[in-house]
Amino acid sequence: MDRDDRGPAPDHRTAEMEERAISTPSQIGEALWRGRLRMGLSLDDVARRAGTDLQIVSAIENSDFGRLPGTGATIAAARAYARVVKLPEKWVALTLAAELARIAMSSFPIT
């Protein structure tokens, strides 16, 4: 289910976010979504300001990793999104990279 422009006020603990790991893929999408709401932006606004495709912005926000391009392009788009909504780019990039790696590793059976 896609997020809309309604929701609770965002949590402003960006310093704490930089220091902790994320346990679920939806937390990056939720952090970006909350940042977008805090700034009063639509998905179109974020895509335009980040210089990326609306579908990619939506997929990142909704943690729909199956719709995303390769890891490098996804992280670059997420960093641009973070810049637009004033979240720590490094935290977003590192956390998303770790999450994408966990997803990739879980698709390989251990025998």
Side-chain angles (χ1 to χ4, degrees):
M1 174 168 62
D2 286 351
R3 300 184 200 283
D4 60 19
D5 291 337
R6 297 180 310 257
D11 187 345
H12 297 286
R13 297 175 292 172
T14 57
E16 180 182 322
M17 287 191 299
E18 286 182 308
E19 295 178 8
R20 67 183 173 92
I22 285 195
S23 59
T24 62
S26 65
Q27 287 181 334
I28 281 290
E30 184 169 340
L32 293 168
W33 170 69
R34 287 175 181 264
R36 178 171 67 80
L37 292 180
R38 181 187 75 239
M39 296 191 66
L41 300 172
S42 70
L43 279 171
D44 288 323
D45 295 332
V46 171
R48 189 178 65 256
R49 290 180 186 189
T52 192
D53 185 76
L54 175 63
Q55 292 178 344
I56 293 173
V57 170
S58 177
I60 291 169
E61 189 174 286
N62 289 294
S63 301
D64 187 358
F65 298 122
R67 291 191 313 154
L68 291 168
T71 301
T74 297
I75 291 171
R79 286 181 70 107
Y81 190 150
R83 214 172 12 259
V84 169
V85 297
K86 300 186 184 344
L87 288 177
E89 287 181 57
K90 185 176 181 180
W91 172 76
V92 168
L94 291 174
T95 306
L96 182 56
E99 195 57 46
L100 292 171
R102 277 192 289 262
I103 291 166
M105 291 303 293
S106 69
S107 67
F108 292 103
I110 299 175
T111 57

